[in-house]
Amino acid sequence: MKVLLIAPNYLRVYSYVSEEATMVAPPMGMAYVAGYLRDNGVDVEILDLAALRSDEKMERKLIAESGADMVAMAGTTNTIMLCYDLAKISKEVLPDAKVVVGGPHPAMEPARTLEECRQIDYCVVSEAEETMLELARGVEDKDVLGISFRDSKGNIIVNASRPLIKDLDSLAFPARDLLPQDKYWTPGVRRYPYAIMMTSRGCPYSCTFCSNFRTQGKQFRARSPENVLAEIDHLVKDYGVKEINIVDDNFTFLPKRVKEICDGLIERNYDLELKTGNGIRADRVSLPMLKHMKKAGFYLVAYGVETGSERILKKMRKGETLDHIRRAVKWSKQAGLLTEGFFMFGNEGEGRKEMLET
């Protein structure tokens, strides 16, 4: 079976102000799935339509030319309509192909997704690697955990959840060679070539605004320091990478692991800069940790601040206080690190007063 993985052209959604101001970042989730499928003998291709700046004519041509037996894409709520369009195109140009949609939106709303788009055959509602491999191997629908589908009578079935992958070291590195590496750029990157890495999955916290409990689970699972450093070796030696953005939700969750990764970076002494650009928790850092990260080559840490209101912070079940955040930023500055903060407006129960506090 040939599997085609498609990252929708989200520039159509996000570039309403300026396409040139909208970052084009590699779809690492798909690269992980592709690496896993290929490692298990599946013929796989990735189409990153944002990187290709695609229009419908190009999409129709590329999907048809792939000759894929299965077409899969991932969508957020903002991009799910693009997935619906791609599903329709896929069924038109490859009528015998199965169409799969994963990502945060289908994971949260699998039945609704299937109801809204008849061209979709399966929704993946959890981690996709093992699920996609079973679908590619033709395992019977009822036996594939972590999917939603229609039975022979057209009824929507939501199968039991799939257990989380415990040993992340067992996964192949992302199939970056299937992506157009020269097409990516992100505001704030200091040095190219740059790469995105994920060294852990899962989050034990219960923030009300987050979908990751469904896509990656509440159990924190970390790759070993040795495995993380092996991928960094691969990026530096095979791709000439000069900057790495670690996009974990909880990179600093285990201080001992952070120290061991930093120790390995210091020992290697690469010409390399790093940052935690996706945001880390302010209550999971210390001044010694941040100083060690700085010594290892980190130049920036981002924090998920979310709000300047203690009341809203409690209401969103963040599990942090404003004092945690102020202290973490102060420590980061003392360590010589740049800081970024992520903020949200329009939280549940929030009014003008809380927005002004933020």
Side-chain angles (χ1 to χ4, degrees):
M1 173 174 280
K2 167 98 180 265
V3 176
L4 175 66
L5 304 176
I6 304 178
N9 184 1
Y10 57 80
L11 295 175
R12 296 183 186 177
V13 176
Y14 293 114
S15 64
Y16 56 89
V17 175
S18 168
E19 184 172 310
E20 297 308 314
T22 305
M23 69 179 183
V24 181
M28 296 311 298
M30 287 196 164
Y32 267 105
V33 173
Y36 185 79
L37 293 178
R38 187 168 63 182
D39 212 37
N40 284 276
V42 177
D43 184 11
V44 61
E45 177 185 351
I46 303 177
L47 279 182
D48 185 353
L49 298 178
L52 297 175
R53 311 276 175 148
S54 67
D55 56 21
E56 183 178 334
K57 182 179 178 181
M58 180 193 292
E59 292 164 2
R60 190 174 292 272
K61 178 177 181 290
L62 292 174
I63 294 171
E65 288 177 350
S66 74
D69 304 292
M70 180 177 291
V71 179
M73 58 210 76
T76 63
T77 299
N78 286 348
T79 62
I80 194 64
M81 300 308 293
L82 299 177
C83 291
Y84 292 173
D85 292 339
L86 290 168
K88 293 170 185 174
I89 291 172
S90 298
K91 284 295 188 181
E92 289 172 10
V93 301
L94 298 171
D96 296 327
K98 295 293 185 180
V99 174
V100 186
V101 176
H105 185 90
M108 298 295 288
E109 296 277 5
R112 176 180 173 181
T113 301
L114 289 170
E115 288 169 356
E116 291 181 345
C117 185
R118 299 292 302 179
Q119 289 82 3
I120 295 172
D121 297 296
Y122 303 104
C123 285
V124 175
V125 297
S126 59
E127 286 181 308
E129 285 90 351
E130 294 175 343
T131 301
M132 284 296 298
L133 181 59
E134 290 185 5
L135 290 174
R137 287 177 170 172
V139 175
E140 202 167 336
D141 293 351
K142 66 180 180 62
D143 296 326
V144 180
L145 298 177
I147 64 167
S148 182
F149 64 98
R150 297 181 195 82
D151 64 15
S152 58
K153 296 180 181 178
N155 299 312
I156 293 176
I157 308 297
V158 180
N159 284 357
S161 299
R162 177 176 295 276
L164 297 169
I165 300 170
K166 292 183 179 179
D167 182 12
L168 298 183
D169 285 6
S170 67
L171 298 176
F173 293 157
R176 292 181 171 89
D177 58 297
L178 299 182
L179 296 171
Q181 294 293 332
D182 61 332
K183 303 288 188 184
Y184 298 116
W185 80 280
T186 302
V189 171
R190 303 212 299 195
R191 302 176 71 201
Y192 288 88
Y194 90 105
I196 292 176
M197 272 187 71
M198 183 175 289
T199 76
S200 65
R201 295 182 183 181
C203 182
Y205 299 95
S206 301
C207 304
T208 58
F209 55 81
C210 188
S211 66
N212 268 3
F213 76 92
R214 185 63 60 82
T215 55
Q216 294 193 356
K218 290 185 68 65
Q219 180 184 350
F220 178 76
R221 295 155 293 137
R223 295 165 56 190
S224 68
E226 294 79 13
N227 185 258
V228 172
L229 291 166
E231 184 175 352
I232 292 174
D233 292 339
H234 167 60
L235 289 171
V236 171
K237 294 173 182 177
D238 297 336
Y239 288 93
V241 164
K242 299 292 186 182
E243 179 170 329
I244 295 176
N245 182 8
I246 295 178
V247 296
D248 302 23
D249 284 332
N250 287 289
F251 177 70
T252 57
F253 188 72
L254 300 177
K256 181 174 181 290
R257 175 175 170 271
V258 175
K259 183 181 184 306
E260 290 174 359
I261 292 172
C262 289
D263 286 344
L265 288 166
I266 293 167
E267 182 182 338
R268 283 160 172 76
N269 195 29
Y270 287 140
D271 179 20
L272 181 66
E273 295 187 288
L274 304 96
K275 64 181 177 180
T276 61
N278 193 46
I280 54 177
R281 289 184 61 91
D283 63 344
R284 299 300 298 188
V285 297
S286 66
L287 181 54
M289 175 195 287
L290 293 165
K291 285 182 175 179
H292 203 52
M293 289 172 65
K294 172 67 174 179
K295 186 177 179 182
F298 284 83
Y299 73 89
L300 178 146
V301 286
Y303 293 105
V305 179
E306 325 307 357
T307 175
S309 165
E310 203 79 68
R311 184 178 75 84
I312 297 300
L313 209 54
K314 289 178 182 177
K315 191 173 180 62
M316 64 171 60
R317 296 187 218 159
K318 179 77 177 181
E320 288 180 340
T321 66
L322 295 180
D323 282 342
H324 282 136
I325 295 163
R326 293 188 184 102
R327 185 180 64 186
V329 173
K330 180 181 179 180
W331 284 343
S332 300
K333 291 297 185 184
Q334 288 176 358
L337 293 163
L338 298 174
T339 54
E340 285 182 351
F342 293 110
F343 302 85
M344 297 187 293
F345 289 101
N347 295 291
E348 183 183 0
E350 182 178 61
R352 177 178 175 84
K353 175 179 177 291
E354 288 83 7
M355 291 185 188
L356 289 173
E357 287 176 344
T358 299

